[in-house]
Amino acid sequence: MEVLIVGAGAMGTWFGEAIADDPSIDAALTFADVDEDAAERAAETVGGTTADLEGTTTYEAVCVAVPMRHVEESIERHARRAERAVLDVTGVMATPLEAMAAYADDLERASLHPLFAPERAPGSIATVRAREGPVTDSLLSALESAGNRLVETTAEEHDWAMESVQAAAHAAILSFALAAERVPEGFQTPIYDELERLATYVTGGSPRVYADVQRTFDGADAVAEAARAIAEADDEAFESLYDEAAERWSAREGVDDGETDVQNASRSANGGERE
């Protein structure tokens, strides 16, 4: 199967590796990227070739693996190079699927979102099969054979979920990273340690990727509003907010004395006092 991968970054390379490793497809992979050196490196990694972004050669399948902000224009430009299928691995779903319907309505279409960084593969992949067929079925089967789990969803459900899974989560962690200080050894609690670990992980990535998430999905404003409400709350209001959070996350379910496992651990670490 001849596959053109538009975008030779980490996610495009991951997709190429997963497909190249499946002998049932016998994939011939080609990379095209604004960074020709990146395309060369990705092609070398999977034993593929490179192509010009303005080329006219066609392929059985075209996979778009560009930053979210460029997915619509990329599909508009490159869907014409697909003979049978178009798919994307950009992280947003409504926008690329609408573009595919507009520019590749007669082709197989699928949107995929690997819910992990490429270096942590395999993992769960959110999957929307807008128009199924043998080409997309083969590609998805190859991803499953590589150990990934396909999570079937809709564009609406996925993009709604990403408001919490990505936008709100990233905003909360980055806010902690900006507001908190590193403390001397011995002062850490289990909760602080976990937040420090998450802050270190998030700030070790690409700011452009996280900026794209905030630009694409709502969620950060809700985090800011919640933090403001907590900061301004008196004791009664704080307890009400705490109870609302506990009820939403079922934090007290199955835990004696209204404490979560993390709270119990924190209390033990602090000589019996609540954190």
Side-chain angles (χ1 to χ4, degrees), residues 2 20 29 69 76 95 99 117 128 134 140 146 153 164 178 205 212 226 231 258 264-265:
E2 296 178 343
L29 301 175
R69 68 182 65 189
E76 180 181 358
T95 298
V128 174
L140 293 175
T153 184
S164 294
L178 291 167
D212 275 353
N264 283 324

Side-chain angles (χ1 to χ4, degrees), residues 2-225:
E2 296 178 343
V3 181
L4 172 66
I5 301 174
V6 180
M11 196 52 68
T13 303
W14 162 82
F15 180 80
E17 287 183 295
I19 301 306
D21 288 341
D22 192 317
S24 68
I25 291 183
D26 190 23
L29 301 175
T30 301
F31 287 88
D33 196 287
V34 291
D35 183 341
E36 294 182 0
D37 290 338
E40 291 282 358
R41 288 193 297 271
E44 184 177 349
T45 298
V46 303
T49 59
T50 63
D52 193 295
L53 278 174
E54 304 302 325
T56 58
T57 303
T58 61
Y59 305 81
E60 286 182 75
V62 170
C63 176
V64 173
V66 300
M68 286 185 280
R69 68 182 65 189
H70 299 304
V71 63
E72 185 174 9
E73 64 184 270
S74 185
I75 290 172
E76 180 181 358
R77 288 179 62 189
H78 299 288
R80 60 183 172 78
R81 305 177 75 171
E83 298 170 358
R84 301 181 62 185
V86 179
L87 60 157
D88 82 285
V89 290
T90 59
V92 64
M93 287 189 164
T95 298
L97 286 170
E98 289 169 4
M100 290 179 206
Y103 301 106
D105 183 54
D106 58 335
L107 302 181
E108 297 173 39
R109 306 185 301 277
S111 185
L112 312 175
H113 181 191
L115 299 170
F116 50 84
E119 64 271 15
R120 292 174 175 259
S124 296
I125 302 175
T127 304
V128 174
R129 306 173 193 245
R131 185 176 181 183
E132 297 184 65
V135 174
T136 52
D137 284 350
S138 294
L139 293 171
L140 293 175
S141 292
L143 295 177
E144 285 186 302
S145 296
N148 298 290
R149 181 173 70 94
L150 303 183
V151 180
E152 304 286 347
T153 184
T154 65
E156 294 75 19
E157 181 181 54
H158 170 271
D159 289 358
W160 166 79
M162 290 307 107
E163 293 180 6
S164 294
V165 172
Q166 290 194 316
H170 297 170
I173 294 165
L174 287 169
S175 295
F176 168 81
L178 291 167
E181 300 287 347
R182 290 187 179 274
V183 299
E185 188 65 33
F187 285 93
Q188 295 87 348
T189 65
I191 291 175
Y192 177 91
D193 275 345
E194 184 65 14
L195 287 170
E196 182 181 40
R197 182 187 68 79
L198 291 170
T200 300
Y201 177 76
V202 168
T203 55
S206 166
R208 188 192 69 181
V209 172
Y210 289 99
D212 275 353
V213 167
Q214 296 301 329
R215 178 178 180 271
T216 304
F217 303 112
D218 295 330
D221 287 347
V223 172
E225 290 170 9

Side-chain angles (χ1 to χ4, degrees), residues 242 246 249-265 267 274:
Y242 185 96
W249 293 96
S250 300
R252 296 176 178 177
E253 184 177 346
V255 180
D256 293 337
D257 194 30
E259 290 187 337
T260 66
D261 291 339
V262 172
Q263 288 170 317
N264 283 324
R267 198 174 119 188
R274 293 179 184 269

